[in-house]
Structures are given as C-alpha cells and as structure tokens.
Amino acid sequence: MNVNDKNGGIAPYKFYVFGSFLREINPLDVDILIVYDQTRVTITTVLQLRRQLCTAFNLKFRIALDVCLLSLKETAGNRFITDENAELILG
Amino acid sequence: MPEYGKYEKVPRPESIDKFIEYLTGNKAVAKLDRISNQVLLVSRTKLPPLKVFMTNIYIVGEADVYEITTSEQNLNAIVTMSAWNGYSQEAKTLCSTMKIGLFKFNEFLGAVYFDGKKFLGYISPNERERQKRRNSPL
C-alpha cells in the first residue's frame, strides 16, 4: 500500500498507535489513529485506505485492527492524542 | 471474539442491550424497534420518532459521519456507545448541518427529550459545565 505523497513530499498522513497494544504483551486488537491532511486527500480516499488496511492487516496478522480517522483540523481542536497517550509511528 | 478486518465498529451486544434497557425506562420513549443490527427506531411519546445509528468508534470524525450517512439513509442520530467514546467538534457540526444529532451514550438519553436545534446541539450537563469553565475569565 502506497501512502507516500505522489509528488515525493511528506505523505498526507500521520499514523499513531494507542490502546492495549502499547501496554499488553498479547493484545486482542491494535488501535491506530490516522490523521489526514484534509487539504490534500479526500474523505473517500481516507475511507478506502482504512478498508484496505483492515483487510491487509487481518490477512497478515490475524488480529483485529481498529482504525480511527481524524483530519488535521479535527485533531487541533481536541485532546484525543494526548489523552490516549497515542504514539506517532509514521508520518 | 475479535472481528478481524471489520471497520464498521459494531457495538458490543451488551452495550446495545444496556442502551435499549435505559431507553425503555425513559419517560420520553414510547416504543423501540430494532430495524437492523446497528439501527434502532425510537418512537417517542410526544415528539417525532428517531432513526438512530449505533456505533462503537472511539472518536467519531467527519470521515466516519460521511461513511455512516452514505450507507444508512434518513438518520436522525448517531450514537457512539461505550462510555469512553467521543467525537470531534467538526463531526458534531457536520452532523448538525445534516440535521443529525451526534451523541455519546449518556448524551442521547438526555437529548431524546428534545427536538430541533435543542436536540441537535444537546450536550450533557457535565460537558456544558466544563465548557463554561473553559470559557470563563480567570
């Protein structure tokens, strides 16, 4: 799956991981947050990315992947990343 | 059992049972009909019925609102079920422009008494107090 910017720039996504995956040895699922730049990608594209990620993750790892989606604008106005102690893993 | 590869975020059955139990005991509610796994029709005693979509997204964003409303037509409300779930302010505003209320579990139990703008903009008393404190001068 290609999440790189087509112009070779910084990808319009940031990937965070949060929840039990960071705390437990055998987590039942993996929670990630994808923060997207709403000025560079459409919501349709982001939703498609989520579907593809969930399917690919399931096939590869046989563990549930829960993906939250927020735009950059949305993250600026709330404390979800801080409150969840989400760790930036890519972007 | 984990739902591998499922991105719709279906609420846990026990969450839906609890939601239905609380609504059944609500004075504003006359009748409940489970239309589908995630959709509930809430008939009210004095106000029009509400078609409610139940989800379990940790934080409902604009993208989720788009996905839910394109898959399910004529919704009046979206409720994210677990106690620790929430939504972005942008998602709440987007829903309001579509005349859909976006609520946390407990908020919906209060919102069900209202209609129109009061319904769409309903937030819990605790959240109202928190916002008042945040906006008040030091």
Side-chain angles (χ1 to χ4, degrees), chain A residues 18 28-29 31 36 43-44 47 50-51 54 58 62-66 68-71 73-74 78 80, chain B residues 2-7 9 57-64 66-67 84 87-91 94 130:
Chain A
F18 64 96
L28 285 176
D29 59 10
D31 298 304
Y36 61 95
I43 282 178
T44 308
L47 290 171
R50 171 157 69 181
R51 287 190 202 104
C54 287
N58 168 37
R62 304 303 298 169
I63 184 170
L65 179 70
D66 283 342
C68 292
L69 301 171
L70 290 176
S71 67
K73 190 178 163 203
E74 288 178 292
N78 72 61
F80 183 78
Chain B
E3 295 171 83
Y4 297 125
K6 196 157 184 64
Y7 51 85
K9 290 297 289 172
I57 300 168
Y58 289 127
I59 179 159
V60 179
E62 289 178 311
D64 300 304
Y66 180 83
E67 186 171 59
W84 50 85
Y87 49 76
S88 73
Q89 191 50 52
E90 287 79 2
L94 175 62
R130 201 179 66 82

Side-chain angles (χ1 to χ4, degrees), chain B residues 28-39:
Chain B
V29 175
K31 187 171 160 247
L32 298 172
D33 291 296
R34 187 89 175 263
I35 295 175
S36 68
N37 193 30
Q38 286 185 261
V39 179

Side-chain angles (χ1 to χ4, degrees), chain B residues 56-87:
Chain B
N56 188 27
I57 300 168
Y58 289 127
I59 179 159
V60 179
E62 289 178 311
D64 300 304
V65 171
Y66 180 83
E67 186 171 59
I68 290 166
T69 54
T70 50
S71 71
E72 193 67 50
Q73 310 297 312
N74 303 316
L75 289 173
N76 301 108
I78 297 169
V79 180
T80 187
M81 302 289 278
S82 296
W84 50 85
N85 289 355
Y87 49 76

